[in-house]
Amino acid sequence: MLTSRIRTTALAAVTAALALGLTACGGADGDSKAAGGDKAAGTAQSRSVSGGDGKGGAEQADSGADTRAGARSATASDGSNEVASKDAAAAARQCVGDEMLVTAVHRFAGQQGDHLLVTASNQGSKPCWVTSFPAVRLGDDGLELPHSKKDNPGGDKRITLQPGGKAYSAVNLFDYGSRNQTAQSLAIALRGTDGHQSPYYSVVMKGNSQQFTWNEADVLNWSTEKPYDF
């Protein structure tokens, strides 16, 4: 009987130990499953945050689109300004003498390239245009100077001068040393596209060497750049 009780007690102890072992294993599996659940929840949260970043990326894309739209708008604005400028030039009328300040400077006196630099400045409040070459008379000589045969082409184009804008021409002087003429004044008239000219008016001489001499002389077309600017 004692032996049987001992065996029964031992068997009960083994069974209890096995039960405790199974309980421990079950607890570990539960913790593992819980941890897995937490990881899944973390992953879901991560995906949710990633989705939020995706929306931020979309906002960035929208911002980029806005930037591109702004660039297109600026380009359109520039184009409009260019069109407006062309329209203003098309609407400009011919420059007239009482709105122009015309000056002349004697350059390279007594040297090769001797000439009178003629500068016309728009003193009016609106754009106006000049074309061709100015009609020029030197001193008391009533003869109108011819156009230079060596001039660049394109004299039939209109040059639009904004208020304060300038155009340039030059009177080439050829002095052969004898039987020449001397003066220190000149007068010009502006030409229209049809070649007709406005009344003559005096030009303001500037510089130290205002007196000039010539046997022959001719005139260059109006230009936005100074001739012989060297």
Side-chain angles (χ1 to χ4, degrees), residues 13-191:
V14 171
T15 301
L18 288 175
L20 289 174
L22 290 174
T23 301
C25 289
D29 290 341
D31 293 341
S32 177
K33 290 179 180 178
D38 292 342
K39 289 182 180 179
T43 302
Q45 290 177 356
S46 176
R47 288 177 181 173
S48 176
V49 172
S50 175
D53 291 343
K55 291 181 181 178
E59 291 176 357
Q60 291 179 357
D62 290 343
S63 175
D66 292 342
T67 302
R68 289 192 295 271
R72 288 195 295 270
S73 177
T75 302
S77 175
D78 292 343
S80 298
N81 290 338
E82 183 177 353
V83 171
S85 178
K86 289 182 178 179
D87 289 344
R93 58 183 176 81
Q94 182 179 359
C95 297
V96 294
D98 59 353
E99 294 182 349
M100 301 293 289
L101 173 62
V102 183
T103 62
V105 177
H106 189 192
R107 304 182 70 201
F108 305 114
Q111 306 176 40
Q112 185 176 2
D114 189 358
H115 70 279
L116 303 175
L117 174 64
V118 180
T119 303
S121 176
N122 180 9
Q123 300 294 296
S125 59
K126 297 181 179 180
C128 66
W129 54 264
V130 295
T131 189
S132 188
F133 63 98
V136 179
R137 293 176 180 173
L138 300 179
D140 296 329
D141 189 355
L143 296 178
E144 186 176 300
L145 299 181
H147 180 228
S148 173
K149 295 180 180 179
K150 296 181 180 181
D151 199 2
N152 294 324
D156 57 339
K157 295 181 179 179
R158 294 182 180 182
I159 298 177
T160 301
L161 303 180
Q162 298 297 327
K166 297 179 180 180
Y168 305 93
S169 177
V171 177
N172 299 313
L173 302 171
F174 305 98
D175 184 3
Y176 304 133
S178 62
R179 302 181 65 181
N180 52 19
Q181 301 182 67
T182 301
Q184 54 183 11
S185 66
L186 69 154
I188 77 163
L190 300 175
R191 299 180 188 275

